Amino acid sequence: MKLKVKILDICAGDRPIVVMNDHDAEDLGVRSLGRVSIKHGEDKAVAVLNTTHNIIDKGQIGVMNEIAEELQLKGGQRVSVTAAQFPKSIDHIKAKLDGKKLNYTQLKQIVDDVVAGNLSQVEITAFVTALHAFGIDIDEAAQLSRAMCETGQSLKINSPYIVDKHSIGGVPGDKTTMLVVPIIAAAGVTIPKTSSRAITSAAGTADRAEVLMPVNLDLEQMKAVVKKTNGCMVWGGTLDLAPADDIFIRVEYPLSIDPLLMPSIMSKKKSVGAEYLVVDIPFGRGAKMQSVNEARGLARSFIEMGSRMDIKVHCALTHGEQPLGYNIGAALEAKEALEVIMRKKSVPDVVDKAKGIAAILLSMTGMDGPKAVEKVWNNGSAEKKLRDIIFEQGGDPEVQPDDIEFGKYGFDVHAEKKGNVMMIDNHKLASLARAAGSPKDKGAGIQLYKKTGDKVDKGQRLFTVYSETPRKLKVAQEVSETCQPMLIGSSRAVVVHHITEEEVE
Amino acid sequence: MKLKVKILDICAGDRPIVVMNDHDAEDLGVRSLGRVSIKHGEDKAVAVLNTTHNIIDKGQIGVMNEIAEELQLKGGQRVSVTAAQFPKSIDHIKAKLDGKKLNYTQLKQIVDDVVAGNLSQVEITAFVTALHAFGIDIDEAAQLSRAMCETGQSLKINSPYIVDKHSIGGVPGDKTTMLVVPIIAAAGVTIPKTSSRAITSAAGTADRAEVLMPVNLDLEQMKAVVKKTNGCMVWGGTLDLAPADDIFIRVEYPLSIDPLLMPSIMSKKKSVGAEYLVVDIPFGRGAKMQSVNEARGLARSFIEMGSRMDIKVHCALTHGEQPLGYNIGAALEAKEALEVIMRKKSVPDVVDKAKGIAAILLSMTGMDGPKAVEKVWNNGSAEKKLRDIIFEQGGDPEVQPDDIEFGKYGFDVHAEKKGNVMMIDNHKLASLARAAGSPKDKGAGIQLYKKTGDKVDKGQRLFTVYSETPRKLKVAQEVSETCQPMLIGSSRAVVVHHITEEEVE
């Protein structure tokens, strides 16, 4: 069938989509979401078909920018359109939909087609949903990780040991990575760290690190920094390490499911060549893992998956019931990390977690981990290493804590009664910081003055909320009025919840 | 956030979608596939957000036609955009994704949001996939049918008995409905029949009927025909009886799953007010149900679902191993139906099936079914009723079999050896008819001269393939060369399949 090209000034997000009139589609025998092949001269492309009865006339084909560029099409040109087969990978998605287990070849074909843009959003969603519904076993997870890693870029570095760390997240103010990377690198071990930005939290490691240095490096720049310093702190988003992951995450978001959590993490670790990995699993009330048993189960899965991927994995189960340190929000957290590594300020939980995880990692490579950590911490070489990394990534290596600016607008929250801080609600703190402008506004955040167990007097200041604009400050104030992130009570009070019949029903 | 409207000349298929620059979306705290609220003057609408980094500039919002019309927007106008909540029905979809059973209220909320365009394709796909993965039990199916029926139009007719028939399909040449409707209506019982067009077959009942009369009636026109004649044969596609169904079918297609088969059928029967229903379930090799046990299981489900929806259901298990009658393709089938009802031609299987199903239906209303059928068949009132319906729907009531035109181009297929027709492959015949132009070209099709069991001599004509154009004839010839829809063998041959080790692996 010959059709006249109409260029549609819209981008379908990687997937090649063409739009045809209902009538022509029927004539061709292809339905909406089926596939058509478009030929222009010697060039050919297969696209997902959408049909319409009004936007595109009979005899026309609407072509989005991606395909127009690929086939060098101009509006008004004639192309030859024929019915095409669905990609073979859809058979594998159907197999998973019937509860079957997929092997490496099948998973690789799916991932290849996802990355090449050969699958429609419906098909990708069906795959992710089927993985969620039927579960993904450890074999499938490992094979999928391998497939996701192989379809992306990878970092090749010649080092005796390449190590990495990962946190499953969920703890506000967790600036551990900003301290672990310089400690490990200062101890002479390579740690090519990539991090994510905040999704539902106040700040991700990439957001924090960006306060001190550029983090949008490409793979070559990242490699150069690692070669010079043994470490780096870059944003994983532009590196194209496991591009299928970003596409899967997009459909997981509205459904709040993440069957691909483990493959997503492990594929990226494999891509940077990690041989030793510590996974930080915070647990407890308000953390992602509610109980220590749940945390142990996840740890076992990480370790088993690592063994299938030639990555030696240890896990650190950590207290996740309250924020780490006193500062929440990108700029405030970067400041606290800098103060701590300069040993200007003592923040015991931040220091303990960073040193603990660094020691595990170094021990895995055969060193006396705790001793090595103490050495580079106390002799200032961890701080020096952080400044080297800042310099190599293009930041100011002389940066001081007081140089870091945060929101000009703020308000204090005070204790309404005397007592002890019984609980700090991680989720409420994150919501409050986000209302104040985090993670987009790096200067937004929360400065805590009290942690769980601390005594407070009535009217005493509990925390300050910072914002970059008066408008967002107002939003944060409104949120603050209805949410109490700190529960003050008597340390002898045992009954803390009262569940009524209505709540149970 | 204030943004400047850019109208996107594309239609998102019912769903309100807006496109924003990544940067603005981040500022608003909403990710792609999240929801935003757009306010223009007093008018407000919630839309699914898509994000981009190139098509839409910072400060702009791309708005598709549907929303532009709803809010009366023009390019360049400023609208106020805020983050909005996901629809509540997504929680129910998530519940199903976790394997939970849904109740009427939850299913109704999902269907309402599907029809209102409040759910994105990702969310609809997740729902359909979850129903497929976890199954849909009889309660859920009945509640979903009710919800789907309630969100659409319905036919209200005052009759002592309203009956309906449905075939699960799969048998080429099945023109039963074209005969059952006039028999029932002639016997004085109301049968407001809606039918579908072909999806994977050579012709649907709507396609066949359209050869004799217009079938794109609206609900008022349909009602008028039924009032005058007791029956009708209209296409269900424009009636908006259960609009959610069309939307679900769209995402089922690329995945070839249909967890909504039963709710889809039953909701439409309920919408036309059916109190008695016969479901025709063809079974056997090449049919949708392979074994009689499978067919019985489906029958039980239909009957149980009917009882929950106040529809009395009987099922007819019918031989589905070969085509019904000798003609396949819309025009050829309409011709055969007309010849049969005029008693000009004896086609035993066509007559037996039509009379049998009509008799079951009439018996369900308390009549002596077989007797009533014989009467209206033999005294010509069934034929007269068909002509009345043709007239009321706007066709020519004097139409004769020879008036019906079919493809001018054709080729014969001959027996390569002497023997008996051992088997006719339904799927291969359908593919061949489709290659010749069915279902779009009403004149395309296949005229059989032999059925299963018939003796053939070497070189004897087995069937003729008709096409409306030389191009499609050529395609059909190519298909014919590689596919043998009729297997000729010795009637005493018992070994018909030879399965090798390779096939088993």
Side-chain angles (χ1 to χ4, degrees), chain A residues 33-77:
Chain A
L33 296 179
R35 301 298 198 275
V36 293
S37 170
I38 300 119
K39 209 175 152 193
H40 178 235
E42 290 304 298
D43 296 328
K44 238 171 107 171
V46 172
V48 174
L49 176 69
N50 282 4
T51 61
T52 173
H53 49 275
N54 47 19
I55 304 291
I56 301 292
D57 295 332
K58 266 182 70 175
Q60 277 192 332
I61 184 166
V63 174
M64 310 222 173
N65 295 337
E66 295 95 337
I67 295 206
E69 278 170 30
E70 190 184 336
L71 298 182
Q72 303 191 321
L73 295 178
K74 287 196 182 71
Q77 283 179 335

Side-chain angles (χ1 to χ4, degrees), chain A residues 146-160:
Chain A
R146 209 178 116 200
M148 284 163 72
C149 165
E150 285 169 2
T151 45
Q153 299 284 335
S154 63
L155 185 74
K156 296 203 177 28
I157 284 184
N158 233 332
S159 293

Side-chain angles (χ1 to χ4, degrees), chain A residues 265-286:
Chain A
I265 295 166
M266 295 302 283
S267 61
K268 287 177 179 169
K269 301 306 168 192
K270 192 73 194 169
S271 297
V272 298
E275 300 155 303
Y276 300 93
L277 169 68
V278 170
V279 180
D280 169 23
I281 305 180
F283 70 96
R285 172 176 178 156

Side-chain angles (χ1 to χ4, degrees), chain A residues 11 23 27 31-32 55 65 94 97-98 122-123 125 129 132-134 199 249 253-256 440 472, chain B residues 11 23 27 31-32 55 65 94 97-98 122-123 125 129 132-134 199 249 253-256 440 472:
Chain A
C11 156
H23 192 276
D27 212 10
R31 294 172 66 191
S32 197
I55 304 291
N65 295 337
K94 285 184 210 166
L97 272 174
D98 288 332
V122 164
E123 294 142 9
T125 304
T129 309
H132 173 82
F134 292 105
I199 294 175
I249 284 174
Y253 160 63
L255 308 168
S256 35
K440 172 109 199 314
K472 291 190 180 173
Chain B
C11 157
H23 192 276
D27 212 10
R31 293 169 68 190
S32 198
I55 304 291
N65 295 337
K94 284 185 210 163
L97 273 173
D98 287 333
V122 164
E123 294 143 8
T125 304
T129 309
H132 173 83
F134 291 106
I199 294 175
I249 284 174
Y253 161 63
L255 308 168
S256 34
K440 174 112 198 312
K472 291 191 180 171

Side-chain angles (χ1 to χ4, degrees), chain B residues 210-454:
Chain B
E210 201 169 31
V211 175
L212 303 179
M213 60 194 125
V215 297
N216 290 4
L217 275 59
D218 65 26
L219 209 63
E220 280 312 302
Q221 293 169 325
M222 172 176 171
K223 196 171 168 176
V225 174
V226 176
K227 274 193 166 175
K228 285 202 176 154
T229 67
N230 284 340
C232 69
M233 276 179 246
V234 308
W235 178 44
T238 42
L239 294 175
D240 213 31
L241 291 179
D245 191 41
D246 295 332
I247 299 169
F248 290 137
I249 284 174
R250 226 175 285 158
V251 305
E252 289 176 341
Y253 161 63
L255 308 168
S256 34
I257 56 174
D258 55 358
L260 290 153
L261 177 72
M262 300 257 298
S264 158
I265 294 166
M266 295 303 282
S267 61
K268 286 177 180 170
K269 302 306 168 193
K270 192 73 193 167
S271 296
V272 297
E275 300 154 304
Y276 300 93
L277 170 68
V278 171
V279 180
D280 169 23
I281 305 179
F283 70 96
R285 172 175 176 157
K288 287 191 183 171
M289 296 289 119
Q290 298 287 306
S291 70
V292 70
N293 275 340
E294 230 185 309
R296 272 184 196 285
L298 185 64
R300 263 196 301 274
S301 300
F302 269 114
I303 290 168
E304 232 183 288
M305 229 177 115
S307 77
R308 273 159 223 241
M309 297 177 72
D310 286 322
I311 301 178
K312 188 144 179 74
V313 178
H314 283 191
C315 293
L317 306 201
T318 57
H319 283 297
E321 301 202 331
Q322 66 168 337
L324 196 72
Y326 291 91
N327 294 14
I328 297 164
L332 282 159
E333 292 185 43
K335 184 168 182 272
E336 191 173 43
L338 198 56
E339 286 165 342
V340 166
I341 208 167
M342 291 171 75
R343 289 155 295 146
K344 283 199 159 191
K345 197 171 157 185
S346 162
V347 188
D349 59 345
V350 174
V351 173
D352 180 75
K353 187 165 178 180
K355 285 186 177 176
I357 286 175
I360 294 175
L361 262 181
L362 292 177
S363 299
M364 286 171 82
T365 70
M367 297 169 71
D368 179 339
K371 198 174 151 191
V373 169
E374 285 308 324
K375 189 178 158 195
V376 301
W377 187 263
N378 294 326
N379 70 11
S381 57
E383 181 193 342
K384 185 172 178 307
K385 184 58 79 174
L386 175 62
R387 295 189 182 281
D388 289 348
I389 293 171
I390 292 174
F391 176 72
E392 294 298 337
Q393 290 194 197
D396 170 14
E398 308 293 333
V399 63
Q400 296 300 314
D402 288 344
D403 299 337
I404 298 170
E405 286 180 16
F406 46 89
K408 274 200 289 283
Y409 305 91
F411 65 91
D412 293 332
V413 173
H414 301 91
E416 288 179 354
K417 60 180 175 186
K418 185 185 151 130
N420 289 76
V421 177
M422 302 295 288
M423 192 197 99
I424 302 182
D425 188 313
N426 288 337
H427 298 293
K428 286 184 180 168
L429 273 184
S431 300
L432 190 53
R434 291 176 73 90
S438 298
K440 174 112 198 312
D441 300 344
K442 293 223 156 46
I446 299 169
Q447 167 84 60
L448 304 175
Y449 306 110
K450 298 289 174 189
K451 298 282 294 275
T452 304
D454 288 353

Side-chain angles (χ1 to χ4, degrees), chain A residues 172-175 202-203 323-333 336 424 429-430 433 438 443-448 466:
Chain A
D174 194 344
K175 60 278 297 173
L324 197 72
Y326 291 91
N327 294 12
I328 297 163
L332 282 160
E333 293 186 43
E336 191 173 43
I424 302 182
L429 273 185
S438 298
I446 299 169
Q447 167 84 60
L448 304 175
Y466 291 99

